[in-house]
Amino acid sequence: MAALAPLLAAAAVAFLAAVAQAADPFAFFDWDVSYITASPLGVPQQVIAINKQFPGPIMNVTTNYNVVVNVLNSLDEPLLITWDGIQQRKNCWQDGVLGTTCPIPPGWNWTYNFQVKDQIGSFFYFPPLGMQRAAGGFGGITVNNRAVISVPFDTPDGDITLFIGDWYKMNHTHLRKMLDDGKELGMPDGVLMNGKGPYRYNDSLVPDGIEHETIKVEPGKTYRFRVHNVGVSTSLNLRIQNHNMALVETEGSYTMKQNFTNLDIHVGQSYSFLVTMDQNASSDYYIVASARFVNESLWTRVTGVAILQYSNSKGKASGPLPDPPNDEYDKTFSMNQARSIRMNVSTGAARPNPQGSFHYGSINVSQVYKLRNEPPVIINGKKRTTLSGISYSPPDTPLRLADLYDKKDVYTLDFPTMPIDGPPVIRTSVINSTYKNFLEIVFQNNDTTVQTYHIDGYAFWVVGMDYGEWTENSRGTYNKWDGVSRCTTQVFPGAWTAVMLSLDSPGFWNVRTENLDTWYLGQETYIRVVDPNGGYNVTEMVAPDNMLYCGLLKDKQKAQKPHGSRSSASAAKLNYHVLVVLLALVALALGL
């Protein structure tokens, strides 16, 4: 059978190419996820790479592309890949989180198959299990406009992706054990930019021998920078020395164009800017990402520094870094920045109709949930984090699979609409809702650090944020016209952020903090969206033929011989099982 693999591969590619001509195009990716040794901060450590790349490759596609990603798990622990901001329309099976999918065992492969339906913008992927993102495994997703849809700015001369994030020299398994033991992770060891350490702008702060990122540009040209905070838990302020950053898009929505000299980018958030190379190039320029809302004298080392280098540059960058905002602890500046980001309601995005065509502010709200987080608590002798008094415990059986096979007692549908007053509990509690409901969710942060919250499957409108405790009177401050639509929002300590979303996609959708430590300790839940009039195979896609089984359904799983790079197999070739799956999926799409 192995001898047929090359023939099957050729047949599959030819067959799918023919299908692509008659429908939306396909994009294929073949990934081997493995450990490599790297020294981003000057100390050799184990990082997670994709096809030996750290960060992983950029997934460059266009609206409505069908994306096929064969993932080979060459790690020594289970793996999933989630697609932060990709909405997986009516297809939560491909979302890559524990509530919908069994993990890929070590040495196994699994093929994701999804469509970037009606989306544009800047997103990223990463491994969501067990603090793995703290070791890498992340990469960019660029979803371009179709040629028939105009973009609300001139075509840039280049497209640059920049990953920023705090970084520890310890392996993710060590960080995980620290949390399991009830310890704090402490101050990070640095900030990486595109997987590299800081430029040696200060000999006493930055040791010799660290590789830094250099972005080469041409004078007079304009580049689109897509910036993603893929770190563990630190909000970062981004600035490019002597250059304005014109914000034009965030997480799939075009914004009103406005210039920033610096912008706070919180964990899990993505922005894109236009930057024009309009300086005299007397030297190279610093690109800086520094920690926010900390004691800067203690956190000086937690600063990422890259170099912007004009082709006619006259020398190396030197001297002090450009100053950060002046409010070391006062978060009013940052909140006002966030409030100033508005949706461009007159331009199209994935479709030609204006982004403001959906008048979210005039829709009657079906359900209201207030999700409140508190500082970590001790539950049953363990340090945990909570949402509305509940610390989420992922079951062995994915929630969506439990529903499909009518397995009882896997989860409960009793997540409270308002925070509970009793002692905190550990529970697999899920928000229960209905297809086409319109939700208002208030994130109340009673902790002492910024938390960012993400909802899979949807873009939501950020309608308000303020300090203090949210009350019903707070609705008087809501922006009901041009609030930005995105998938990840910051919530400042002692403050609230309110979002609205239309539940137009059945399935189970993860609601989580993107801060890896508080997420790992239990700060998440799911929204169960059920269509009582349609449902499975009508308004929701069927489960894929290559579904993995685990937990209560583990006996349904057929064994797969380990063949990861740890067992010396090549990830550059699709194996027979994956080829069969691809052919079956195409046949299903064609109704054959």
Side-chain angles (χ1 to χ4, degrees), residues 52-290:
K52 305 301 181 185
Q53 297 180 47
F54 168 68
I58 304 297
M59 180 184 286
N60 197 325
V61 295
T62 298
T63 301
N64 295 339
Y65 267 41
N66 296 288
V67 178
V68 181
V69 190
N70 181 46
V71 176
L72 182 62
N73 179 11
S74 294
L75 306 181
D76 57 0
E77 60 184 11
L79 172 74
L80 285 171
I81 300 291
T82 192
W83 321 91
D84 223 47
I86 300 301
Q87 294 176 7
Q88 307 292 359
R89 301 283 298 161
K90 303 176 182 180
N91 191 17
C92 71
W93 307 105
Q94 306 294 329
D95 199 30
V97 289
L98 284 177
T100 60
T101 313
C102 294
I104 307 168
W108 289 32
N109 70 274
W110 197 70
T111 302
Y112 291 88
N113 191 310
F114 56 87
Q115 186 178 28
V116 287
K117 180 70 173 172
D118 291 337
Q119 287 192 264
I120 58 94
S122 309
F123 312 98
F124 66 95
Y125 60 82
F126 69 93
L129 302 184
M131 300 286 293
Q132 287 174 346
R133 191 176 80 205
F138 49 78
I141 306 173
T142 296
V143 185
N144 302 291
N145 283 68
R146 293 176 292 160
V148 297
I149 307 296
S150 61
V151 176
F153 46 84
D154 292 338
T155 303
D157 297 298
D159 202 298
I160 297 165
T161 296
L162 180 61
F163 301 104
I164 61 177
D166 58 354
W167 189 261
Y168 292 84
K169 295 176 183 176
M170 292 177 288
N171 291 343
H172 72 284
T173 52
H174 189 99
L175 297 176
R176 196 163 65 204
K177 186 177 186 306
M178 289 178 66
L179 294 174
D180 288 338
D181 292 342
K183 299 176 182 177
E184 300 282 344
L185 295 184
M187 183 170 60
D189 295 301
V191 169
L192 303 191
M193 305 185 82
N194 282 351
K196 298 174 183 176
Y199 171 79
R200 200 177 191 200
Y201 69 97
N202 182 308
D203 290 354
S204 63
L205 291 173
V206 182
D208 192 17
I210 291 180
E211 183 183 6
H212 66 270
E213 176 73 343
T214 298
I215 295 174
K216 297 184 177 183
V217 295
E218 295 295 327
K221 293 186 181 277
T222 297
Y223 296 83
R224 182 173 181 174
F225 280 70
R226 302 176 190 263
V227 186
H228 311 275
N229 186 335
V230 294
V232 175
S233 61
T234 303
S235 297
L236 298 173
N237 181 265
L238 179 75
R239 49 205 186 272
I240 303 177
Q241 185 179 27
N242 293 356
H243 290 74
N244 282 324
M245 304 182 298
L247 178 65
V248 292
E249 177 259 335
T250 179
E251 298 165 11
S253 291
Y254 290 123
T255 64
M256 295 301 295
K257 186 176 178 181
Q258 60 176 316
N259 286 325
F260 290 93
T261 56
N262 67 82
L263 184 70
D264 287 342
I265 304 179
H266 305 276
V267 178
Q269 291 189 324
S270 301
Y271 290 96
S272 63
F273 308 92
L274 299 179
V275 183
T276 299
M277 305 305 140
D278 55 5
Q279 298 300 299
N280 61 16
S282 57
S283 68
D284 296 341
Y285 298 94
Y286 294 126
I287 305 174
V288 181
S290 59

Side-chain angles (χ1 to χ4, degrees), residues 328-340:
E328 186 172 305
Y329 293 105
D330 177 14
K331 301 169 187 66
T332 303
F333 171 86
S334 188
M335 181 178 284
N336 287 337
Q337 256 195 351
R339 286 169 169 163
S340 75

Side-chain angles (χ1 to χ4, degrees), residues 264-509:
D264 287 342
I265 304 179
H266 305 276
V267 178
Q269 291 189 324
S270 301
Y271 290 96
S272 63
F273 308 92
L274 299 179
V275 183
T276 299
M277 305 305 140
D278 55 5
Q279 298 300 299
N280 61 16
S282 57
S283 68
D284 296 341
Y285 298 94
Y286 294 126
I287 305 174
V288 181
S290 59
R292 291 286 277 131
F293 319 126
V294 297
N295 185 328
E296 291 179 7
S297 62
L298 297 177
W299 281 62
T300 307
R301 76 180 190 208
V302 190
T303 301
V305 184
I307 292 298
L308 183 72
Q309 186 178 80
Y310 283 42
S311 61
N312 61 340
S313 174
K314 300 176 181 64
K316 292 183 177 181
S318 61
L321 301 179
D323 290 332
N326 239 343
D327 60 337
E328 186 172 305
Y329 293 105
D330 177 14
K331 301 169 187 66
T332 303
F333 171 86
S334 188
M335 181 178 284
N336 287 337
Q337 256 195 351
R339 286 169 169 163
S340 75
I341 298 171
R342 302 297 179 97
M343 183 168 61
N344 184 335
V345 297
S346 61
T347 188
R351 294 183 177 185
N353 52 302
Q355 292 183 135
S357 299
F358 192 91
H359 301 296
Y360 68 88
S362 61
I363 298 175
N364 292 329
V365 172
S366 311
Q367 293 172 288
V368 180
Y369 279 85
K370 182 179 180 181
L371 277 56
R372 184 179 69 201
N373 76 292
E374 304 278 358
V377 295
I378 302 299
I379 308 177
N380 301 335
K382 289 289 186 181
K383 184 178 180 180
R384 302 286 298 183
T385 56
T386 59
L387 279 178
S388 296
I390 298 173
S391 187
Y392 184 83
S393 176
D396 293 334
T397 308
L399 311 175
R400 186 63 193 89
L401 268 182
D403 262 17
L404 181 64
Y405 287 93
D406 198 27
K407 297 297 182 181
K408 306 299 184 185
D409 302 322
V410 172
Y411 64 91
T412 59
L413 291 171
D414 57 355
F415 196 93
T417 57
M418 292 291 159
I420 59 176
D421 294 326
V425 296
I426 299 176
R427 188 183 300 163
T428 309
S429 183
V430 171
I431 294 172
N432 191 27
S433 198
T434 304
Y435 180 50
K436 295 189 176 179
N437 270 5
F438 193 72
L439 256 61
E440 175 185 359
I441 297 178
V442 179
F443 296 104
Q444 178 75 48
N445 183 4
N446 288 356
D447 202 348
T448 57
T449 58
V450 177
Q451 299 290 312
T452 48
Y453 289 95
H454 175 90
I455 301 179
D456 280 351
Y458 297 98
F460 49 70
W461 291 274
V462 182
V463 296
M465 60 178 67
D466 206 349
Y467 287 101
E469 189 78 17
W470 180 90
T471 68
E472 293 192 2
N473 292 333
S474 302
R475 293 193 179 103
T477 67
Y478 282 7
N479 175 357
K480 294 189 175 182
W481 168 238
D482 62 354
V484 68
S485 175
R486 61 187 312 165
C487 58
T488 307
T489 186
Q490 66 273 59
V491 190
F492 295 95
W496 56 267
T497 297
V499 305
M500 291 181 175
L501 64 157
S502 177
L503 299 183
D504 57 358
S505 186
F508 280 79
W509 303 106

